[in-house]
Amino acid sequence: MESLTRRKPEKARARRMLGQFQGQSQVQSFPTADVGAVVTCKVCSINSRFAKVHILYVGSTPLKSTFRGTIRREDIRATEKDKVEVYKSFRPGDIVLAKVISLGDAQSNYLLSTAENELGVVVARSEAGVQMVPISWCEMQCPRTHTKDFRKVARVQPQFLQT
């Protein structure tokens, strides 16, 4: 009896996956991110060498489940790579636009880069919990407390802005 109850969820899961491959679902569960694809991700943790992120969107397509990515210190900026400090570029909770530079598999992360002007932090929250406003390519400011924090700010193109 136990084996029959186990098979039903497996069959249902298989049917859902098949439906996604046949185009019956708008939300993709498997990434179709090729090298060069722009992804939207959320920073989970940082250390002195890299930032760990969860990929939420590939282009404008939301993913059903998140995938892990890594932004290495040397892939944050195109110039002065040796002077980059991860803490001055990203903080946990930031929403970042990045480009895929290497594909991952089940055991490893996608390798991402923000080494273009259009890539970097697009949404950040201050310690006061307020969404910060970009004031330069490397700083954001809290509109409530007026404190400034360093970030690798993305220069968002008008066609990517949603109203």
Side-chain angles (χ1 to χ4, degrees):
M1 187 67 166
E2 185 180 347
S3 64
L4 289 175
T5 57
R6 283 189 186 169
R7 287 184 186 166
K8 286 183 181 180
E10 291 174 353
K11 284 184 180 180
R13 185 176 18 186
R15 268 190 250 113
R16 283 194 307 270
M17 289 174 61
L18 182 61
Q20 290 168 351
F21 286 122
Q22 293 175 343
Q24 294 177 0
S25 175
Q26 293 293 329
V27 178
Q28 294 184 6
S29 61
F30 299 106
T32 56
D34 295 324
V35 172
V38 175
V39 296
T40 304
C41 42
K42 184 175 185 175
V43 177
C44 299
S45 64
I46 59 172
N47 65 33
S48 62
R49 296 174 317 192
F50 53 80
K52 291 284 190 183
V53 299
H54 284 155
I55 300 172
L56 307 172
Y57 288 79
V58 176
S60 60
T61 306
L63 299 175
K64 189 177 238 180
S65 59
T66 59
F67 290 86
R68 293 175 299 176
T70 302
I71 305 172
R72 299 179 303 186
R73 188 177 85 184
E74 57 267 23
D75 296 323
I76 292 175
R77 284 199 326 229
T79 59
E80 299 180 332
K81 294 180 180 194
D82 55 332
K83 295 181 181 178
V84 173
E85 293 181 49
V86 178
Y87 187 75
K88 288 186 176 182
S89 301
F90 308 114
R91 302 277 172 87
D94 288 355
I95 303 297
V96 175
L97 284 178
K99 188 173 278 191
V100 177
I101 57 175
S102 175
L103 299 178
D105 57 25
Q107 284 78 33
S108 67
N109 299 331
Y110 281 83
L111 198 54
L112 308 173
S113 171
T114 58
E116 295 178 22
N117 291 336
E118 293 77 21
L119 304 175
V121 176
V122 290
V123 177
R125 296 220 174 262
S126 67
E127 289 184 12
V130 179
Q131 185 171 327
M132 299 180 81
V133 177
I135 57 173
S136 73
W137 64 272
C138 64
E139 277 187 311
M140 295 184 107
Q141 185 175 28
C142 174
R144 180 180 295 162
T145 63
H146 301 291
T147 57
K148 296 177 184 177
D149 282 340
F150 289 106
R151 296 290 203 285
K152 196 293 184 184
V153 179
R155 186 179 68 204
V156 180
Q157 298 298 311
Q159 65 264 28
F160 297 121
L161 292 175
Q162 295 180 355
T163 56

